[in-house]
């Protein structure tokens, strides 16, 4: 009898294990919709990503939740808009905030991260690469559901002198193991760095370990080679017809191939959902050192399509049929809801979740009607519903910044749209049809029936959205040089602690 019960339990659990797929999210940094061959880049330098798309499902209508890295990443991991999860600022109207090393805030304890929920369900979680949800000790990944980490809390900006500004630390799990430009080189002259190689090895060794242990895993692979200063390892330098940015893309493409190959060789490919996307649009401000947003208007930092639409591919051999394209409107927050659905975990019911599960889109091509909200800081700038996108506010950046050469829409000017003062179109939104006009150049005539119909449908959505909206406590208002990376966890062991200045909090300045 006992033996029989034991056997039944065993078979129940082994079937259960089998039915819970591994989740692998590949999140690129500042990579644009137009950077992949499959999305039309003329250089055709992404053979592995193009192959991944042909073996899976391409999402041409996939979005971030904010056109900047930290809020986008916080949204992905919480399934919630930055205005709800606290990754925004109220220091000024409609400003993008993020987590530089002066930031005091970070991901709130009240938020439930995908990593935390999957950990409870028995998943082993690893983050490789950039975190960007706050760097004070309480905000780091191992405090929020991840079991393993190799990478950094912040962008790889620098080099710094460690006197006025410390170099950014690189972490293994919950301790620093060195710093960028000291122990982890990025040559600012040549663009050479071995970091993508390291990030790839960390991913493949984790997959091998988990496949061996037959324990489901969540791997959040977030390399940052396409974020300024862009870098590639020696064998990729000077290979792309696009220059150094293209070299970085080629190396990431190669790495994606290595990781997918590892899923095959370890026998877990058909039990792993891989989703490839990016955190925000390409940084056009970097000109030829930045990526491409294809036909879309402007780039990173803006709520035009170029700032928010992302390359996206879902891959799951045996479950997602090859060669598909889905025009489902998707967002990074859907990765939260989809992963929970696949893991058989109920999403939290005590809060609003902005993601939807894409499971039946993956499996049956199901389409769900849902809006996309375009936020910049504390302001709802625009809403997409179907093909219609209504802008309530239009702004690129200020004249002052433009005069300093900071241009988020280089070579592009749409009167009253790519504006250098904040335009309030709340009473009469500017509406574009993204099917006929993906580049947001030709506004619908407000007198037309088409405009009236689109406007009333979208206003209905906005009303409901605002009724349901409880903003989280803003995390990106306060800065302090004392919280910079003077003495990160682990620095004592390395005898590499620096002395912080005394605390002197100030309101962070977010110019755009
Ligand atoms: C960067 O590379 C150049 C050319 O190889 C070399 O001369 C220079 O020393 C390198 N810089 C650093 C900081 O390693
Ligand atoms: C990258 O690794 C190679 C091989 O170990 C080494 O020769 C090279 O100096 C490294 N490059 C950097 C920038 O660290
Ligand atoms: C995955 O592939 C392996 C080996 O080809 C096979 O034994 C297994 O049944 C497949 N699993 C699923 C979920 O399709
Ligand atoms: C924008 O315009 C609307 C409608 O005129 C007005 O109610 C609102 O206060 C304005 N918002 C700001 C921040 O000026």
């Amino acid at each position: 009898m006992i033996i029989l019960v034991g056997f039944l339990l065993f078979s129940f659990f082994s079937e259960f294990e089998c039915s819970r797929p591994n989740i692998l999210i590949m999140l690129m940094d500042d990579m644009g919709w137009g950077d992949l061959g499959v999305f039309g880049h003329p250089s055709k330098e992404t053979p592995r990503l193009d192959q991944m798309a042909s073996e899976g499902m391409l999402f041409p209508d996939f979005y971030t939740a904010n056109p900047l890295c930290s809020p986008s990443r916080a949204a992905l991991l919480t399934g919630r808009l930055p205005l709800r999860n606290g990754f925004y600022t109220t220091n000024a109207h409609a400003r993008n905030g993020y987590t530089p090393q002066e930031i005091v805030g970070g991901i709130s304890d009240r938020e439930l991260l995908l990593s935390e929920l999957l950990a409870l369900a028995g998943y082993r979680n690893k983050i490789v690469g950039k975190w960007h949800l706050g760097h004070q000790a309480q905000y780091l990944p191992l405090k929020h559901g991840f079991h393993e980490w190799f990478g950094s809390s912040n962008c790889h900006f620098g080099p710094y002198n460690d006197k006025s500004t410390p170099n950014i630390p690189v972490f293994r799990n919950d301790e620093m193991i060195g710093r960028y430009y000291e122990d982890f080189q990025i040559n600012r002259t040549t663009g050479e760095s071995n970091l993508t190689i390291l990030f790839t090895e960390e991913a493949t060794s984790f997959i091998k370990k988990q496949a061996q242990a037959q324990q489901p895993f969540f791997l959040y692979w977030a390399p940052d080679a396409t974020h300024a200063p862009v870098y590639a390892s020696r064998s990729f330098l000077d290979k792309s017809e696009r220059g150094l940015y293209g070299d970085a893309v080629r190396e990431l493409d190669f790495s994606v191939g290595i990781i997918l190959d590892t899923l095959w060789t370890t026998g877990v490919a058909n039990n792993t959902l891989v989703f490839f996307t990016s955190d925000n649009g390409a940084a056009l401000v970097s000109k030829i050192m930045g990526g491409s947003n294809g036909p879309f208007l402007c780039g990173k930092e803006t709520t035009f399509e170029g700032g928010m639409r992302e390359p996206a591919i879902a891959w799951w051999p045996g479950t997602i049929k090859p060669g598909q394209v889905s025009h489902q409107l998707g967002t990074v927050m859907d990765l939260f809801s989809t992963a929970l659905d696949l893991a058989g975990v109920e999403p939290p019911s005590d809060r609003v979740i902005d993601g939807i599960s894409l499971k039946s889109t993956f499996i049956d091509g199901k389409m769900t009607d849902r809006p996309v909200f375009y936020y910049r800081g504390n302001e709802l700038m625009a809403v997409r519903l179907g093909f219609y996108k209504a802008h309530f506010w239009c702004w690129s950046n200020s004249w002052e910044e433009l005069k300093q050469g900071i241009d988020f829409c280089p070579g592009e000017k749409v009167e009253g749209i790519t504006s250098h003062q904040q335009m309030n179109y709340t009473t009469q939104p500017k509406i574009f049809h993204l099917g006929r006009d993906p580049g947001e150049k030709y506004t619908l005539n407000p007198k037309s029936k088409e405009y009236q119909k689109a406007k009333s449908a979208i206003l209905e959505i906005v009303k409901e959205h605002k009724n349901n909206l409880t903003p989280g406590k803003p995390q990106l208002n306060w800065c302090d040089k004392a919280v910079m990376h003077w003495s990160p966890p682990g620095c004592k062991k390395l005898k590499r602690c620096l002395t912080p200045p005394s605390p002197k909090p100030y309101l962070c300045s977010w110019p755009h």
Side-chain angles (χ1 to χ4, degrees), residues 216-234:
F217 66 79
F218 167 41
L219 173 58
Y220 176 43
W221 192 62
D224 61 358
T226 42
H227 188 293
V230 298
Y231 60 78
S233 66
R234 196 170 295 162

Side-chain angles (χ1 to χ4, degrees), residues 185 187 189-190:
Q185 291 303 329
N187 188 313
T189 311
T190 60

Side-chain angles (χ1 to χ4, degrees), residues 204-483:
T204 55
S205 62
F206 178 68
I207 291 166
K208 287 176 191 159
K209 178 167 71 89
Q210 289 308 114
Q212 193 110 54
Q214 298 190 311
Q215 183 191 16
F217 66 79
F218 167 41
L219 173 58
Y220 176 43
W221 192 62
D224 61 358
T226 42
H227 188 293
V230 298
Y231 60 78
S233 66
R234 196 170 295 162
S235 57
F236 286 89
L237 288 180
D238 296 322
K239 293 296 190 300
S240 168
E241 66 181 54
R242 305 177 63 186
L244 183 55
Y245 180 85
D247 294 336
V249 172
R250 287 181 71 132
E251 184 165 25
L252 290 168
D253 178 74
F254 178 79
S255 295
V256 166
I258 291 180
I259 292 172
L260 298 185
D261 290 347
T262 304
L263 294 173
W264 283 116
T265 55
T266 53
V268 298
N270 61 1
N271 198 35
T272 304
L273 165 73
V274 185
F275 200 97
F276 175 95
T277 189
S278 180
D279 63 346
N280 47 246
L284 301 192
V285 72
S286 303
K287 306 197 174 85
I288 53 169
M289 287 293 245
S292 161
N293 295 318
F296 301 123
L297 188 63
C298 302
K300 177 178 178 179
E301 304 275 5
T302 76
T303 47
F304 304 111
E305 291 298 288
M308 304 259 314
R309 212 188 284 210
E310 306 305 329
I313 304 168
W315 185 91
W316 186 357
T319 300
I320 297 178
K321 289 198 249 356
Q324 300 186 82
V325 176
S326 172
H327 289 284
Q328 171 65 48
L329 301 193
T331 79
V332 292
M333 298 169 288
D334 299 347
L335 302 179
F336 173 92
S337 302
T338 307
L340 291 184
D341 192 7
L342 296 176
V345 177
E346 284 292 320
S349 57
D350 62 342
R351 62 197 69 203
V352 175
I353 301 291
D354 295 288
I356 61 170
S357 173
L358 299 174
K359 182 179 169 188
S360 47
T361 305
F362 294 165
I363 296 173
D364 305 317
K366 185 184 162 205
M367 297 288 287
T368 305
D369 220 7
R370 64 90 72 93
V372 172
F373 298 103
Y374 301 68
Y375 271 92
R376 185 159 172 170
N378 58 352
E379 186 60 80
L380 179 63
M381 305 287 285
V383 176
R384 175 175 176 182
L385 185 66
F387 277 121
Y388 295 101
K389 178 173 175 187
H391 290 270
F392 300 104
W393 286 89
C394 285
W395 192 41
S396 58
N397 63 350
S398 67
W399 284 113
E400 290 72 19
E401 285 214 303
L402 187 70
K403 277 186 207 128
Q404 295 162 31
I406 301 169
D407 192 349
F408 300 143
C409 313
E412 297 174 313
K413 183 169 195 266
V414 182
E415 203 58 50
I417 302 297
T418 59
S419 169
H420 294 287
Q421 57 198 26
Q422 297 191 346
M423 306 299 285
N424 183 351
Y425 295 127
T426 310
T427 45
Q428 194 175 86
K430 298 287 183 187
I431 303 184
F432 296 98
H433 184 286
L434 294 176
R436 301 195 298 266
D437 178 22
E440 294 169 288
K441 291 189 176 67
Y442 313 104
T443 48
L444 298 187
N445 181 350
K447 295 207 182 79
S448 65
K449 279 229 166 59
E450 187 183 13
Y451 177 96
Q452 301 291 343
K453 219 174 137 201
K455 179 181 165 184
S456 63
I458 290 177
L459 287 185
E460 201 56 39
I461 297 277
V462 169
K463 202 168 126 197
E464 191 193 321
H465 176 68
K466 294 206 162 158
N467 281 343
N468 253 327
L469 193 62
T470 313
K473 180 170 178 257
Q475 294 293 322
L476 308 180
N477 283 356
W478 289 97
C479 285
D480 191 335
K481 289 196 182 306
V483 306

